[in-house]
Amino acid sequence: MSWQTYVDDHLMCEMDGQHLTAAAIVGHDGSVWAQSANFPQFKPEEITAIMNDFNEPGSLAPTGLFLGGTKYMVIQGEPGSVIRGKKGSGGVTVKKTNLALIIGIYDEPMTPGQCNMVVERLGDYLVDQGF
């Protein structure tokens, strides 16, 4: 199965009638494995900052999480495993696997919990598969 299929079928899937706004699977080095058509163009330093927060939980809290130039306020996550961000009526969930970051961006009417479930479910599966 291609990485694009994971994005299209597992991240951009329907959940209770809602969909993520955008999603991507990005290597720890910032290389894009697959992404939805409307995923924002991000800067390498944005991925570096996210990776740093996984290594030093809380490092993004003072500055916020930036992705594609959009700033998200960092909210509760799971140190070393999941970072969650909020901006207005939407937000972002980033799940770290052994080799990649699973990123989901959402807007209302999708809820933060629905986004977390979609992103973290795929992330947990990939961890179980050695990715």
Side-chain angles (χ1 to χ4, degrees):
M1 184 184 298
S2 77
W3 291 112
Q4 191 62 50
T5 304
Y6 281 106
V7 170
D8 296 341
D9 295 351
H10 299 282
L11 291 175
M12 298 304 290
C13 64
E14 185 177 303
M15 159 138 331
D16 299 329
Q18 308 305 323
H19 296 84
L20 291 173
T21 306
I25 302 174
V26 178
H28 288 181
D29 61 357
S31 61
V32 176
W33 293 11
Q35 64 184 15
S36 62
N38 56 348
F39 194 80
Q41 180 65 46
F42 58 84
K43 299 183 180 117
E45 56 267 24
E46 293 172 333
I47 299 300
T48 300
I50 291 169
M51 287 301 297
N52 287 344
D53 192 84
F54 281 120
N55 297 326
E56 300 170 37
S59 65
L60 281 178
T63 58
L65 182 159
F66 286 86
L67 191 63
T70 299
K71 180 180 180 178
Y72 296 90
M73 179 177 67
V74 177
I75 55 176
Q76 97 293 346
E78 296 166 27
S81 175
V82 179
I83 301 170
R84 299 182 184 110
K86 185 94 175 102
K87 177 177 174 61
S89 61
V92 63
T93 301
V94 183
K95 167 76 177 176
K96 180 178 183 249
T97 70
N98 301 325
L99 302 174
L101 300 175
I102 314 302
I103 305 171
I105 299 173
Y106 71 94
D107 282 301
E108 282 186 334
M110 184 174 236
T111 67
Q114 289 170 322
C115 177
N116 296 343
M117 192 175 303
V118 169
V119 172
E120 295 172 35
R121 184 176 57 198
L122 178 60
D124 291 341
Y125 170 77
L126 293 176
V127 167
D128 290 344
Q129 299 303 306
F131 291 105

